[in-house]
Amino acid sequence: MNKRVMGFAALSAAAALMLAACGGDSGSSGGGSGNGAGFDKGSTEIVNPSDAKGGTLRFAISANMESTDPGNTYYGYVWNFSRYYARTLLTYAAAPGEAGTELVPDLAADMPEVSDDGTEWTVKLKEGLKYEDGTEIVAEHIKYAIARSNFGDQALPNGPKYFQQLLDEDDYDGPYGGGDPLEGFDAIETPDDYTLVFHLKEPFSDFLYVLAQPQTAPVPPEADKGEQYQTRVVSSGPYKFEDDYTPGNGLVLVRNEEWDPDSDPIRTALPDRITVEEGVDQNEIDQRLVNGELDVDLAGTGLGPAMKGKLVADEEARANIDNPTTGAHFYVNINTKVEPLDNLACRQAIQYAVGREGIQRAYGGELGGEIATQVLPPDIPGADPSYDPYDAASGKPNVEKAKEKLEECGHPDGFAVNIGVRSDRPAEVDAVEAIQQDLAQVGIEAKVKGYPSDTYTNTQAGSPDFVAENKLGLTYYGWMADWPSGYGFMSSILDGDAIKQAGNSNIAELDDPEINKLFDEVVSVEDPEEQAAIYAEIDRLTMENAAILTGVFQKSVIYRPDNLTNVFFNPSWHMYDYMTLGTTETE
């Protein structure tokens, strides 16, 4: 017998906006300050609700987009943004607060049915869904999308590999070998055009969240160009590419007339056009947001240090600022393979040498984040904020303990180490400079190596070979949960089985047998308290390995222009929910 996995009933985007208006005119296009705006309002409610259509919604980002291909990305902002043109099997409700964490059907007609043993998941698709060219979206296209992003030597390098890890598939070599691209891929069955049956190796209680990831966005096989598919992704959503996309030249989206709004309760599709500028300096982005020349900072991480301090101190400007807890942990990977950090005592020396106050200051003090003492953010079950093995909560370096550990690891006078950072992110650069200064106090000479963020997670920090060749013993990093559980937060960054040659997120290259075993065991555990205890143990073992130098649990300081409508922070995307945004600057 199958059992249907139920999500809580979620409001449609339109209904949520109506409720947020509290009986007011949902079609109002009044400015933010005149329609319920105020400091941090967008963290818990919809600011400036409106169903007015038209105009251009303007995004900008300080780097190039990692990839516009939904199957080849691991940045949260792309997962959020790509929904404009890529629908997935499931998605998250369009609502602020806890309601925004509920999974709801997108391409799926209903929530999946699961076999009694938990290894067979059946998803039925809505019928009549179309791509931008009018051809029908069918189940085999979703199966193909999963194949190209997860299987074979030529699988797309960015993004998670959960399907590869979980599906009961050992012999399939991927779709790019010639011949029938799906021949031998038996772990996903498509008995008809509207049914997918997923066969797992073993029960995995969090599989619903995997079905919401962008790798389930359909791809017609004849349109696929591997990594070059990003130049023109075939749209299944309300917008399509106006022209071929060339990284660095920006992106323009226009309406997809084949999208059926009646099939889609999530996307309001208010703007007529959506534009993205790439490679814009962060300070310029911030200034243009304030001047009304931009609507959204695509990266979703908030204002840079200069503008943040200025606007927070301005009482009038504060009414346009949101300060949500994002669920992100910004930290340093301490690579367990690069000498001399392959020595535990040397890694512990770094833990004691770095005061977390400097990292917190880089994000704007307490307004920008809470000092982290362990890996898991406080809102993830299993987190224990009282656990603090390196006295991180004090914020101060412990020079004496650091020198003791240097003596123990055979480097009493310190050593040299390289530290990688995304050079186009000012807060991260400031944090690394503070870390560099603290390490210098105990004789550890840290040389900063800057890289662009669009390649950092794949080509530099995300490549174990590059890390080894360039002796990147330390790498500054930020991580948000792939979904709100200990597994969703920690498995990709701490499980030895998750280490891969490109797009690697376990940048510390932590491969601890006990931790790996706990990850293998927890996937079959259904009791939430037992799960939380296992995640707490994984966190503790990671800190004992000194593989993660904790930093801050981020709070964003996000500027919300007056002309931006339907603005709210969605905790599942860790930023504003882009699918409901509109603008009063209509044409």
Side-chain angles (χ1 to χ4, degrees), residues 530-549:
E530 188 178 348
Q531 284 182 344
I534 294 172
Y535 295 135
E537 178 67 4
I538 292 172
D539 201 334
R540 183 185 65 79
L541 289 169
T542 300
M543 297 307 296
E544 287 181 359
N545 274 280
I548 299 292
L549 173 72

Side-chain angles (χ1 to χ4, degrees), residues 57-120:
L57 191 64
R58 303 159 299 177
F59 289 81
I61 187 168
S62 60
N64 293 343
M65 295 179 70
E66 179 196 29
S67 172
T68 60
D69 184 343
N72 194 31
T73 179
Y74 217 152
Y75 270 110
Y77 72 85
V78 185
W79 285 25
N80 188 1
F81 182 85
S82 66
R83 296 181 299 146
Y84 280 125
Y85 51 84
R87 297 181 66 176
T88 50
L89 287 175
L90 305 178
T91 189
Y92 295 95
E98 188 175 351
T101 66
E102 300 301 337
L103 287 168
V104 295
D106 190 356
L107 294 173
D110 206 338
M111 298 301 283
E113 291 185 350
V114 189
S115 63
D116 286 342
D117 68 359
T119 63
E120 184 178 293

Side-chain angles (χ1 to χ4, degrees), residues 464-494:
D465 287 344
F466 185 94
V467 167
E469 290 167 7
N470 293 272
K471 298 181 179 179
L472 285 180
L474 305 177
T475 44
Y476 198 82
Y477 209 52
W479 192 254
M480 297 177 175
D482 289 348
W483 60 82
S485 77
Y487 195 98
F489 190 90
M490 294 194 295
S491 63
S492 288
I493 61 174
L494 301 177

Side-chain angles (χ1 to χ4, degrees), residues 136-422:
E136 190 172 19
I137 296 169
V138 295
E140 193 169 272
H141 296 171
I142 296 170
K143 177 177 178 177
Y144 179 82
I146 292 168
R148 68 191 287 270
S149 61
N150 279 265
F151 291 94
D153 293 337
Q154 298 179 62
L156 302 175
N158 300 339
K161 295 291 183 280
Y162 290 117
F163 285 106
Q164 181 194 88
Q165 297 165 23
L166 299 172
L167 291 175
D168 189 13
E169 189 64 69
D170 295 321
D171 300 323
Y172 178 58
D173 293 328
Y176 296 128
D180 182 351
L182 295 178
E183 184 178 0
F185 189 16
D186 301 324
I188 302 177
E189 294 182 81
T190 53
D192 57 57
D193 283 347
Y194 310 109
T195 305
L196 296 113
V197 183
F198 297 85
H199 297 277
L200 308 188
K201 295 174 183 175
E202 57 189 12
F204 185 71
S205 55
D206 283 358
F207 192 61
L208 271 181
Y209 295 105
V210 181
L211 296 176
Q213 293 187 343
Q215 292 175 341
T216 67
V219 176
E222 64 276 9
D224 187 19
K225 299 178 182 178
E227 289 190 62
Q228 294 309 307
Y229 180 62
Q230 70 164 328
T231 60
R232 187 177 280 271
V233 177
V234 179
S235 174
S236 54
Y239 297 91
K240 62 184 179 180
F241 289 25
E242 183 177 56
D243 298 301
D244 285 359
Y245 164 69
T246 302
N249 289 347
L251 178 67
V252 178
L253 302 179
V254 295
R255 290 194 182 279
N256 171 17
E257 300 301 333
E258 296 293 339
W259 169 71
D260 178 11
D262 291 337
S263 73
D264 192 342
I266 299 301
R267 299 163 179 84
T268 56
L270 297 179
D272 289 332
R273 290 165 60 87
I274 296 164
T275 61
V276 178
E277 294 180 59
E278 298 177 288
V280 183
D281 180 77
Q282 185 64 53
N283 291 327
E284 181 182 342
I285 290 175
D286 295 345
Q287 189 62 60
R288 290 172 63 189
L289 283 170
V290 174
N291 292 347
E293 298 168 8
L294 281 175
D295 302 311
V296 190
D297 180 353
L298 177 58
T301 54
L303 297 168
M307 187 63 75
K308 183 187 303 183
K310 178 180 177 181
L311 296 186
V312 166
D314 184 328
E315 194 61 35
E316 183 176 351
R318 282 173 63 90
N320 292 73
I321 286 175
D322 292 316
N323 189 213
T325 299
T326 67
H329 184 179
F330 283 87
Y331 60 89
V332 177
N333 296 286
I334 307 179
N335 190 278
T336 58
K337 308 296 183 187
V338 174
E339 295 181 351
L341 301 178
D342 54 345
N343 183 303
L344 173 61
C346 283
R347 299 197 298 273
Q348 290 173 328
I350 286 176
Q351 295 277 2
Y352 285 116
V354 175
R356 276 48 166 198
E357 273 185 356
I359 301 175
Q360 188 182 47
R361 278 196 304 273
Y363 288 87
E366 293 182 2
L367 203 65
E370 173 189 342
I371 288 176
T373 63
Q374 79 291 321
V375 178
L376 277 176
D379 59 343
I380 301 288
D384 180 8
S386 67
Y387 180 65
D388 187 7
Y390 302 105
D391 194 26
S394 73
K396 308 293 184 185
N398 189 329
V399 173
E400 183 178 345
K401 287 288 291 184
K403 288 183 175 180
E404 287 178 12
K405 289 297 178 180
L406 287 172
E407 186 80 33
E408 185 179 332
C409 79
H411 293 272
D413 298 322
F415 52 83
V417 65
N418 293 329
I419 178 166
V421 64
R422 289 175 279 208

Side-chain angles (χ1 to χ4, degrees), residues 475-543:
T475 44
Y476 198 82
Y477 209 52
W479 192 254
M480 297 177 175
D482 289 348
W483 60 82
S485 77
Y487 195 98
F489 190 90
M490 294 194 295
S491 63
S492 288
I493 61 174
L494 301 177
D495 189 344
D497 293 337
I499 298 172
K500 52 187 179 180
Q501 291 308 301
N504 178 44
S505 298
N506 183 350
I507 301 173
E509 297 183 66
L510 179 63
D511 193 8
D512 180 89
E514 191 172 355
I515 290 175
N516 298 346
K517 183 171 181 288
L518 289 172
F519 276 123
D520 290 340
E521 292 174 353
V522 75
V523 297
S524 300
V525 173
E526 294 187 0
D527 179 68
E529 291 187 5
E530 188 178 348
Q531 284 182 344
I534 294 172
Y535 295 135
E537 178 67 4
I538 292 172
D539 201 334
R540 183 185 65 79
L541 289 169
T542 300
M543 297 307 296

Side-chain angles (χ1 to χ4, degrees), residues 110 121 135 425 495:
D110 206 338
W121 294 64
T135 59
R425 297 195 172 186
D495 189 344

